[in-house]
């Protein structure tokens, strides 16, 4: 979500046709929903009418998210704060089936020694993608989260982590933890179950503490408050 240029383009088109009606919050939700569907994932309905916050702080938003090296306990507690069940939380993290992980978030699993929970063959692949423990800050070094179907939204993520081929520490930990393992195994076997549970989670996640009515504002530009 660091690259908002497409959201800006969508918002500008909407504003030209229907100014001051559709919030940036709704644009982001719809963009994510449609992006999932375009990559072969489930299409689902979302309720609209969100308003945008009058506050703006990227650092505050980042602080809400768990760190890249979070453990299962922290992850489940975080998801529980949004009223998500364990299977819903596992399904939501299945979105890692697409996208990529930057080397800056991978190297602590590779250097100076390889994380013992990481598949050895996969670790060698990651070292080729991330050949130094100190990636240059301006270099775009990364690994695809799913080498098999990198641009398809499917349950291959769960098959990968059952082989301990998850990019982030949390990925493999979800398979190794007895609380989450049964759901990882079921979603790896049943793509329909993964999709259905993912939609449940998104329905809850996207309606958590939204601003409506006269709260907040409808931003003219998503990068700044009015």
């Amino acid at each position: 979500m660091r690259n908002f240029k497409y959201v800006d383009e969508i918002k500008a088109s909407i504003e030209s046709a229907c100014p001051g009606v559709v919030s940036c919050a709704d644009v982001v939700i719809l963009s994510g929903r449609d992006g999932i569907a375009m990559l072969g994932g489930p299409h689902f309905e979302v309720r609209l009418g969100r308003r945008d916050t009058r506050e703006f702080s990227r650092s505050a938003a980042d602080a809400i998210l768990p760190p890249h090296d979070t453990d299962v306990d922290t992850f489940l507690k975080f998801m529980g704060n949004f009223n998500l069940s364990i299977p819903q939380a596992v399904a939501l993290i299945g979105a890692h089936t697409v996208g990529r992980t930057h080397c800056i978030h991978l190297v602590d699993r590779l250097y100076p020694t390889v994380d013992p929970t990481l598949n050895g063959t996969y670790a060698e692949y990651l070292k080729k993608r991330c050949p130094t423990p100190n990636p240059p800050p301006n270099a775009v070094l990364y690994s695809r989260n799913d080498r098999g179907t990198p641009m398809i939204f499917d349950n291959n993520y769960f098959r990968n982590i059952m082989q301990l081929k998850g990019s982030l520490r949390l990925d493999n930990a979800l398979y190794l933890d007895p609380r989450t393992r049964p759901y990882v195994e079921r979603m790896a076997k049943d793509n329909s179950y993964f999709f259905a549970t993912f939609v449940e989670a998104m329905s809850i996640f996207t309606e958590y503490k939204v601003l409506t009515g006269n709260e907040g504002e409808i931003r003219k530009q998503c990068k700044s408050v009015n």
Side-chain angles (χ1 to χ4, degrees):
M1 291 304 296
R2 285 290 174 265
N3 191 345
F4 273 100
K5 68 177 183 179
Y6 300 113
V7 172
D8 292 338
E9 291 174 3
I10 294 168
K11 175 63 172 174
S13 296
I14 293 173
E15 283 297 303
S16 65
C18 191
V21 175
V22 182
S23 69
C24 293
D26 275 347
V27 169
V28 170
I29 294 298
L30 289 169
S31 299
R33 187 275 305 271
D34 291 349
I36 290 167
M38 289 171 67
L39 294 174
H43 182 277
F44 49 94
E45 297 300 321
V46 293
R47 294 201 292 179
L48 303 176
R50 296 168 186 78
R51 305 267 292 179
D52 298 316
T53 178
R54 290 193 175 97
E55 301 175 6
F56 183 83
S57 173
R58 176 172 289 178
S59 60
D62 285 344
I64 296 173
L65 298 173
H68 73 277
D69 59 350
T70 192
D71 56 25
V72 176
D73 282 335
T74 304
F75 170 70
L76 292 180
K77 182 178 179 180
F78 171 79
M79 290 298 186
N81 291 336
F82 294 91
N83 300 317
L84 293 176
S85 66
I86 291 179
Q88 289 167 346
V90 172
L92 200 61
I93 207 72
H96 284 181
T97 191
V98 294
R100 59 192 183 182
T101 300
H102 289 269
C103 287
I104 192 171
H105 297 312
L106 288 172
V107 291
D108 62 337
R109 301 189 70 199
L110 303 173
Y111 306 101
T113 58
V114 173
D115 181 346
T117 69
L118 194 58
N119 178 289
T121 302
Y122 190 62
E124 291 303 314
Y125 162 75
L126 291 178
K127 281 188 172 183
K128 291 178 181 178
R129 298 295 303 174
C130 307
T132 171
N134 300 298
N138 296 325
V140 184
L141 299 176
Y142 64 87
S143 174
R144 293 286 184 187
N145 291 343
D146 176 9
R147 294 174 66 191
T149 55
M151 295 302 292
I152 299 176
F153 194 98
D154 58 15
N155 62 343
N156 212 41
Y157 164 81
F158 300 104
R159 296 172 183 158
N160 287 336
I161 63 177
M162 287 179 67
Q163 300 175 62
L164 301 182
K165 294 181 178 180
S167 297
L168 298 177
R169 197 179 305 276
L170 174 64
D171 297 332
N172 290 348
L174 290 173
Y175 176 62
L176 297 173
D177 192 291
R179 293 169 294 179
T180 50
R181 181 170 182 155
Y183 305 109
V184 169
E185 293 176 332
R186 183 173 176 184
M187 291 178 195
K189 294 177 182 178
D190 189 343
N191 198 53
S192 295
Y193 173 68
F194 164 45
F195 279 10
T197 312
F198 180 85
V199 170
E200 288 177 3
M202 287 295 288
S203 298
I204 297 171
F205 203 61
T206 58
E207 295 185 13
Y208 181 79
K209 289 187 176 180
V210 298
L211 301 179
T212 58
N214 295 320
E215 299 173 306
E217 65 183 16
I218 302 294
R219 291 187 185 181
K220 295 185 174 88
Q221 296 183 338
C222 295
K223 291 182 179 178
S224 61
V225 298
N226 293 340

